[in-house]
Amino acid sequence: LIADATAINLFVEGVRPFDAFIARKWSAPRAATQVQMNNLYSVTNPLYLPFRYQLLLKFIVYGLTFSTAIPAIYPLTLFYILCAWQVDKSNLLRIFRGITVTSDRLTFEAVAVYVPLGLVIHCFTSVIFALHHSVDAKHSEEISRLDSATEGPNSTSPSSPPLPLVTKHCAGFFDQFNERLQTDPSVLTQLIVGAIVGIVTCGSIVREHTLRSARVAHERRRMSTLPRMDSAAYREVFWSVAGKTSRSMHRMTGRVRSLATQLGRQASDGSGADAAP
C-alpha cells in the first residue's frame, strides 16, 4: 500500500514517465507539423479509469479489512485519496484525450458491491484480530523460544515454523475465542452485528442488481417499441408533435400581439388625456 500510494500514484501515474513525459519532452518538440505535435502531446489510454478505480477500491477494502490490526492504514488511505484527487484532475484535464465513455456499471459495482462487502469483512476481522492479539500475548514465550531456535547455528528452515506450534496457536485461538465468548458479551454482540450487517448488505446488493436488470430490460423494451425514422408511424408522431408545437407557438404569438395592442392603446389614451387640458 505504501508503494501504491507513493511510487505508483505520484510517480508512475502523476509524472507518467513511460508515455506522456517522453512524448512531451522528446517526441512532440521534434515533430514536423503542428498537427503531429498536438497528437504526440496528448496521450490516449482507455484503461486509465478502470485502473484508477481498482486502485482506489484496493485501498478502501484493504483499509477496512486490516485497519483493526494496523491503524496506520487510515492515514495512508487518506493520503492516497488526497493525492489521487490531484493526480486524476491533472491527468484528465491536461494529459489524456478521448477518455472512453463508460456506463454507470463501474461506479455501481464499486459503490453498491465492493465497499459494502468491505464493511462486512471489517465487522468480522475486527473480532478476529483482537483475539489474535490476546493469543499472541498468551503464547509470547513459545514464540520467542521458536525465534531463538530458528536463529541458532543449527537451524535449517527459519522461514517455516514447525507444525506443532502452528497447531497450538490455532488451538489457542479457538480456546481464547470460546473463553471470551463466555466471559465477554461484547464479542457475541459484535458477531451478531456483523451477521446482521452481512445479511442486510447481501440483500441490498441482490436488490440493486435486480433493480438494475429490470431497468435495463425496460429500456431495451422501450427502445425496441420506438418507431423507425423511415416508418409511417414515426412520420405521424413527428408531424403531430410539430403541429402541436406550431399551434402553441401561433397561440403564443397571438397573445403577444394582443397584449402589445392593448399596451399601445393604453399609451395612446394616456397621451391624449395629458394633451387635452
Side-chain angles (χ1 to χ4, degrees):
L1 292 179
I2 296 176
D4 289 336
T6 55
I8 300 298
N9 188 35
L10 297 179
F11 181 69
V12 176
E13 295 294 335
V15 181
R16 304 200 66 84
F18 305 108
D19 49 6
F21 185 81
I22 296 176
R24 291 190 172 196
K25 299 299 182 181
W26 178 262
S27 301
R30 290 166 175 78
T33 61
Q34 184 67 38
V35 177
Q36 294 179 357
M37 181 180 293
N38 294 338
N39 294 329
L40 291 172
Y41 199 77
S42 58
V43 181
T44 301
N45 188 359
L47 298 178
Y48 179 76
L49 288 180
F51 179 78
R52 299 297 290 175
Y53 256 110
Q54 65 86 21
L55 197 59
L56 178 61
L57 288 176
K58 175 182 178 180
F59 271 87
I60 293 176
V61 176
Y62 277 18
L64 292 173
T65 303
F66 300 103
S67 58
T68 305
I70 311 174
I73 293 181
Y74 284 130
L76 183 61
T77 303
L78 178 62
F79 171 78
Y80 168 78
I81 292 174
L82 294 177
C83 294
W85 175 50
Q86 296 294 333
V87 170
D88 291 336
K89 183 173 67 173
S90 176
N91 288 339
L92 294 176
L93 294 178
R94 297 180 176 88
I95 293 180
F96 290 105
R97 77 174 189 277
I99 292 294
T100 304
V101 179
T102 59
S103 64
D104 59 342
R105 185 175 181 82
L106 191 63
T107 307
F108 170 77
E109 295 291 337
V111 176
V113 178
Y114 293 105
V115 174
L117 289 179
L119 293 174
V120 174
I121 295 173
H122 173 73
C123 293
F124 291 100
T125 54
S126 60
V127 181
I128 295 175
F129 286 137
L131 293 177
H132 264 291
H133 286 311
S134 301
V135 174
D136 290 339
K138 185 176 181 180
H139 299 283
S140 59
E141 296 181 358
E142 297 179 2
I143 294 175
S144 62
R145 187 169 63 251
L146 173 66
D147 293 336
S148 62
T150 54
E151 292 176 359
N154 298 325
S155 62
T156 57
S157 58
S159 60
S160 59
L163 184 60
L165 185 59
V166 175
T167 306
K168 187 178 294 185
H169 185 81
C170 295
F173 171 76
F174 287 108
D175 293 339
Q176 187 72 16
F177 177 75
N178 294 327
E179 181 181 352
R180 291 283 299 273
L181 191 62
Q182 295 175 1
T183 58
D184 191 359
S186 62
V187 177
L188 181 61
T189 304
Q190 292 177 1
L191 293 178
I192 293 175
V193 170
I196 294 174
V197 171
I199 293 172
V200 172
T201 302
C202 293
S204 175
I205 293 173
V206 173
R207 179 176 177 274
E208 291 294 333
H209 275 281
T210 304
L211 292 176
R212 181 180 177 84
S213 301
R215 190 188 69 178
V216 171
H218 175 71
E219 291 293 332
R220 288 177 179 175
R221 288 195 302 268
R222 189 178 69 85
M223 294 300 295
S224 63
T225 56
L226 290 177
R228 297 179 58 182
M229 295 184 64
D230 56 350
S231 62
Y234 178 82
R235 290 195 294 269
E236 182 180 357
V237 172
F238 174 79
W239 288 115
S240 63
V241 173
K244 292 179 181 179
T245 305
S246 62
R247 286 193 296 270
S248 62
M249 291 295 294
H250 181 70
R251 288 194 297 267
M252 185 180 297
T253 305
R255 292 175 183 176
V256 171
R257 287 178 179 176
S258 62
L259 181 60
T261 304
Q262 291 178 4
L263 292 177
R265 290 176 180 176
Q266 292 177 3
S268 62
D269 294 342
S271 61
D274 294 338

